[in-house]
Amino acid sequence: MDAKFNFLTDVRHNLVRIKMAGFFSDEDVRRFAADYRSQLAQLNAPGHLTLVNIRQMKIQPQSVVGAFSSLLASPDVRSRRLAFVCSSTLARLQAQRLTNREDVRFFEDDAEAEGWLVE
């Protein structure tokens, strides 16, 4: 698989920035979840802020969408606010299926997304 992801934590803003790319398998999601939890140990989580750039992600299979949805719903990783940056309508629609919380927004620009998160 060509799944790629990286994290950048910002302790000052209690924020984690995530970039994701490629096509994920169920194993990639498990690896992502473990790494994400490890990053959150540096922050005041849960209650942190999360910015996820999915511009380079491919459309994922239902099992992967379900696995990410379960992860985002877990109390130990739940963000106070969650911003997705996506470039295609299809990617945005798939990301919208991950959660139906009011504190989730979708953007085309990283700076705009981060501004909403930290306002």
Side-chain angles (χ1 to χ4, degrees):
M1 293 290 154
D2 63 344
K4 295 179 185 162
F5 55 87
N6 63 43
F7 302 91
L8 180 61
T9 55
D10 178 347
V11 175
R12 185 171 142 241
H13 291 106
N14 201 34
L15 167 69
V16 61
R17 293 176 190 88
I18 305 169
K19 286 191 179 182
M20 303 175 75
F23 190 78
F24 282 66
S25 67
D26 293 335
E27 178 56 35
D28 293 323
V29 176
R30 285 189 286 278
R31 191 169 46 91
F32 173 87
D35 288 357
Y36 186 36
R37 285 183 167 100
S38 142
Q39 293 295 315
L40 293 180
Q42 301 175 45
L43 300 175
N44 183 19
H48 59 287
L49 305 168
T50 304
L51 189 155
V52 186
N53 183 322
I54 58 170
R55 283 189 190 121
Q56 296 180 355
M57 273 190 89
K58 297 177 183 174
I59 298 305
Q60 306 297 312
Q62 277 304 112
S63 64
V64 168
V65 173
F68 276 122
S69 181
S70 294
L71 174 65
L72 293 177
S74 297
D76 65 322
V77 299
R78 185 179 171 101
S79 298
R80 183 167 44 91
R81 283 186 162 185
L82 174 60
F84 285 96
V85 178
C86 37
S87 55
S88 80
T89 302
L90 194 52
R92 180 183 176 132
L93 289 171
Q94 189 165 59
Q96 286 174 326
R97 293 193 322 215
L98 295 174
T99 183
N100 61 357
R101 298 175 6 207
E102 290 183 23
D103 50 358
V104 177
R105 298 282 185 274
F106 299 87
F107 300 88
E108 293 181 10
D109 177 75
D110 288 286
E112 185 180 351
E114 189 167 332
W116 173 77
L117 283 170
V118 299
E119 70 183 19

